[in-house]
Every structure is written in structure tokens, then in C-alpha cells.
């Protein structure tokens, strides 16, 4: 893989960084969105075109509602690996299998051969990402650089990211995507992921869950953005609707006072994930909307800019996230999921996504 061409160019990620800098100043918004886990089959041209058109339409709706330009940043062309909370799972017949970790690692089929890790899948991930990027670039002519669809994924696999590092005039960059993010599980200051991301010229995101402290957030901001470049670092908070009320004020205040510049985004899905008694995971839309409102209100109260959202969504009319009105305990819900097609976590369907975007625009 190290001998293959880089997937993105220095000029492309620099243009994204400039657009994110405008968002950090309150002159634009960011919509980072797409599938929880991309599948290799999703690299088919028609499927890519549909997802790209969907993300552009969401960005346009967000722009119309807010009166600001919106930078669309897709979770695509590389979101082929997933961190998992368990190493294995048990089938209904008692057979224990390694957990599915994304198409770049193994297959989702509940059979031992599919769940074996295969390094050749890393090369397949490169090939499929290249195909997706080709279709994405075909949408760029006629669009200003700050309104183009860029691509991003979680920089999880060292074996994929390291061979795709490239050196340019701006120093070392990840050629695997225009932007990469570090997950909440892998943001340790002394870990490989932070050390790797700290040396990149690309815009870099970090997911911040409920275990983050204000002091840790400040240190992360300086390690990942030592030069204090606007648009270089995105803090993607994924606290949950309840914890956000308690934790976000301290985080924003401390980073604003002592940290390096960051672009504040809200991921209102991961902190509001529930596992039902049936074993199925879901997310209540009411909690998602609530966290979006809390995020915007608290960030603005500390004279910072709530720059946008990070969503797992699909153009398909899926039934993966649910309504849980009147404070119904989510685990007790008895819900049918006639169209649950996600390879990993539940996604918002188009109607639910439009609802969340409208709530965010109202909160601004």
C-alpha cells in the first residue's frame, strides 16, 4: 500500500481546512455525516452518487435554515473499520465468534471464515475508497471549494493509515482522507492514535465522551494543534443529552480559556445509544434533538461558535432509531424494526435527519 498513490492531495485537504477555519469563526457551518460503517458494496457508482446527492441536499437544507454556507464532510471513502466494545459475540446456537470490525478487517456474516481477520482486506479498502473518491470528485465542478463534498473516516487502523502517509510542502499528511478523526476509545494522550494525528497537516477530529475532563481536553487541543491553526482541529462532543448539561459547560469554558483553537461539533447519536432487551441497539430521536439544543445553547453561552453536527444517517428509509416520548425508558420499548439494515449502529433516516437539522438551526 505504501507504493500506491495517495488517495487525497495536499491542495484538497488544505481547501477543507480553510473552509473549516471559516466555520470556526462563525462564518459557516459543518455537516459531517454518513453511514456508521461503510460496506465495500457501497462503492458501486449508483450507491455513491445517491449518498453524495443526499449529503449535498442535507447541507443545502441546513444552509437555507441557518442562512450560512455549509461545508459537507462525508463519512465515506474509508469508513471501513469500527472499534467495538466487545471482542466476541455468541450466536443463537451457542457458537462464539470474533466480533465484526468492519469490511477492512473481516466480514459481517455470522460464520467463522467470514470473521477471520484478513490483511488483504486493507488493499480492498484502498481500492474501494479510491472508487468512491472518484465519484465524489466528479461532483465538484462548478462548486466553490468551501461547498464541495469532502471525505473523512475514523483513523483507527495503524496498518491502513501509516502506509498512506505522504510528505508534501505542508509536511506529513494522511493521504487516506481529507480529514480523519480519533475515537473516544483511542484518544489517550500517550497512545499511537494521538501521536500519529499530531504530526498530520490534515484537519483532525477527536470524539469527546463523558470520561473526558476539561484539563484533558485542553492538553489534547495543544498536542493536536500546537501551532493554533484555525480549522485544524475539530472537537466532536458525544456526551449524551443528560451528561451534556453537566459536562459541556466546563469543557467549553476551559478550552476557550486555555486551549488551542477548535471547531466545536456535536455528535448527538453515540451518547444516546441504547441496547433493547431484544439485543438490538437503537437511539431515541427525542434525546438526539435534545442534545443538539443543549450543545448549541451551552457553546454560545461561552461565546464560542457551535459549528455543526456529526451524524450517522442514510438516504434509505430505515427504521433503526426510534421515538421514545414521555420519558419512556428506552430498554423497555417494544419496537418492530422492519427495515434495520445497518452493518453496525443505528442510523437516522431522512425524515429524522431533517428534524434534527431543523432543531439545530432553531437553536442557533
Amino acid at each position: 500500500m505504501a507504493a500506491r498513490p495517495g488517495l487525497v492531495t495536499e491542495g484538497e485537504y488544505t481547501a477543507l481546512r480553510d473552509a473549516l477555519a471559516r466555520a470556526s469563526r462563525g462564518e459557516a457551518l459543518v455537516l459531517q455525516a454518513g453511514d456508521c460503517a461503510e460496506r465495500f458494496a457501497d462503492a458501486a457508482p449508483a450507491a455513491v452518487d445517491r449518498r453524495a446527492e443526499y449529503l449535498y441536499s442535507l447541507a443545502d437544507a441546513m444552509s437555507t435554515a441557518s442562512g450560512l454556507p455549509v461545508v459537507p464532510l462525508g463519512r465515506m471513502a474509508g469508513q471501513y473499520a469500527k472499534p467495538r466494545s466487545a471482542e466476541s459475540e455468541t450466536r443463537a446456537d451457542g457458537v462464539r465468534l470474533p466480533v465484526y470490525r468492519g469490511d477492512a478487517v473481516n466480514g459481517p456474516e455470522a460464520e467463522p471464515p467470514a470473521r477471520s481477520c484478513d490483511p488483504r482486506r486493507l488493499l480492498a479498502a484502498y481500492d474501494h475508497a479510491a472508487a468512491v473518491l472518484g465519484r465524489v470528485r466528479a461532483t465538484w465542478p462548478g462548486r466553490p471549494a468551501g461547498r464541495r463534498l469532502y471525505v473523512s473516516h475514523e483513523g483507527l487502523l495503524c496498518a491502513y493509515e501509516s502506509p498512506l502517509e505522504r510528505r508534501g510542502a505542508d509536511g506529513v499528511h494522511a493521504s487516506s482522507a481529507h480529514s480523519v478523526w480519533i475515537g473516544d476509545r483511542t484518544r489517550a494522550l500517550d497512545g499511537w492514535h494521538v501521536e500519529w494525528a499530531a504530526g498530520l497537516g490534515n484537519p483532525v477530529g477527536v470524539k469527546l465522551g463523558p470520561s473526558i475532563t476539561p484539563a484533558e481536553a485542553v492538553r489534547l487541543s495543544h498536542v493536536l494543534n500546537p501551532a493554533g491553526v484555525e480549522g485544524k482541529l475539530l472537537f466532536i462532543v458525544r456526551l449524551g443529552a443528560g451528561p451534556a448539561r453537566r459536562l459541556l459547560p466546563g469543557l467549553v469554558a476551559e478550552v476557550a480559556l486555555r486551549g488551542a483553537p477548535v471547531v466545536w461539533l456535536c455528535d448527538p447519536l453515540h451518547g444516546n445509544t441504547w441496547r433493547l432487551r431484544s439485543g438490538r441497539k437503537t437511539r431515541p430521536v427525542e434525546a438526539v434533538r435534545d442534545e443538539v439544543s443543549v450543545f448549541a445553547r451551552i457553546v454560545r453561552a461561552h461565546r464560542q461558535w457551535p459549528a455543526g453536527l456529526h451524524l450517522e444517517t442514510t438516504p434509505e428509509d430505515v427504521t433503526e432509531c426510534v421515538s421514545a416520548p414521555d420519558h419512556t425508558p428506552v430498554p423497555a420499548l417494544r419496537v418492530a424494526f422492519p427495515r434495520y439494515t445497518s452493518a453496525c449502529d443505528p442510523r437516522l433516516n431522512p425524515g429524522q435527519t431533517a428534524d434534527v437539522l431543523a432543531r439545530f438551526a432553531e437553536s442557533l
Side-chain angles (χ1 to χ4, degrees):
M1 190 145 40
R4 294 186 174 191
L7 289 168
V8 305
T9 69
E10 191 171 21
E12 290 172 354
Y13 80 72
T14 300
L16 171 61
R17 194 174 64 200
D18 292 343
L20 295 175
R22 290 191 288 276
S24 73
R25 297 191 295 268
E27 301 166 4
L29 293 171
V30 181
L31 178 62
Q32 189 170 18
D35 272 308
C36 167
E38 275 186 292
R39 302 299 313 281
F40 287 164
D42 295 337
V48 177
D49 293 348
R50 187 179 183 210
R51 281 184 291 153
E53 181 181 356
Y54 177 58
L55 294 178
Y56 278 125
S57 70
L58 294 179
D60 289 343
M62 194 173 177
S63 180
T64 299
S66 65
L68 291 168
V70 175
V71 184
L73 182 55
R75 290 173 55 108
M76 59 194 305
Q79 186 59 8
Y80 298 123
K82 293 293 295 181
R84 305 304 301 271
S85 55
E87 294 289 330
S88 61
E89 62 185 10
T90 303
R91 293 192 320 200
D93 60 2
V95 173
R96 198 161 185 81
L97 296 170
V99 74
Y100 171 61
R101 295 185 177 277
D103 280 10
V105 179
N106 57 6
E109 297 81 9
E111 300 294 336
R115 295 296 176 87
S116 297
C117 298
D118 183 351
R120 291 170 296 184
R121 284 179 169 269
L122 297 174
L123 296 174
Y126 174 99
D127 292 335
H128 287 90
V132 173
L133 263 167
R135 302 299 297 187
V136 168
R137 287 192 181 100
T139 69
W140 287 1
R143 296 180 183 271
R147 304 291 290 271
R148 293 172 181 167
L149 174 60
Y150 296 93
V151 302
S152 63
H153 65 261
E154 179 175 358
L156 181 65
L157 301 178
C158 174
Y160 184 76
E161 304 296 344
S162 289
L164 289 175
E165 288 182 8
R166 298 291 181 268
R167 181 171 292 279
D170 197 31
V172 174
H173 65 272
S175 77
S176 61
H178 299 120
S179 177
V180 291
W181 75 84
I182 303 168
D184 189 49
R185 294 185 180 96
T186 53
R187 57 171 170 75
L189 283 157
D190 59 352
W192 175 83
H193 294 84
V194 170
E195 180 183 359
W196 162 70
L200 301 178
N202 312 62
V204 171
V206 187
K207 292 284 190 83
L208 304 181
S211 65
I212 190 73
T213 67
E216 288 172 331
V218 169
R219 288 198 295 272
L220 273 172
S221 75
H222 286 295
V223 169
L224 293 171
N225 192 11
V229 177
E230 285 188 331
K232 172 69 170 66
L233 178 59
L234 299 89
F235 271 2
I236 308 165
V237 294
R238 40 145 297 174
L239 300 172
R245 288 179 168 84
R246 302 191 311 271
L247 303 175
L248 190 55
L251 281 176
V252 178
E254 193 71 4
V255 172
L257 181 64
R258 296 184 170 86
V262 303
V263 181
W264 289 100
L265 300 186
C266 176
D267 170 359
L269 292 168
H270 282 88
N272 297 301
T273 304
W274 292 82
R275 189 177 293 276
L276 303 178
R277 290 170 183 168
S278 64
R280 183 82 77 180
K281 287 194 290 187
T282 192
R283 288 155 172 167
V285 178
E286 290 80 5
V288 172
R289 290 200 305 259
D290 189 23
E291 185 168 356
V292 164
S293 297
V294 169
F295 165 79
R297 174 175 55 80
I298 291 175
V299 173
R300 292 200 70 178
H302 289 84
R303 300 181 182 277
Q304 303 298 300
W305 178 240
L309 300 175
H310 182 119
L311 303 176
E312 291 182 347
T313 178
T314 174
E316 302 168 16
D317 187 23
V318 297
T319 51
E320 298 171 358
C321 296
V322 298
S323 179
D326 303 322
H327 305 288
T328 305
V330 177
L333 288 175
R334 297 182 179 276
V335 183
F337 294 97
R339 297 180 299 280
Y340 198 114
T341 60
S342 174
C344 192
D345 289 340
R347 303 159 296 174
L348 298 168
N349 62 35
Q352 293 165 338
T353 303
D355 190 18
V356 171
L357 295 184
R359 174 63 64 90
F360 179 68
E362 290 169 6
S363 302
L364 294 177

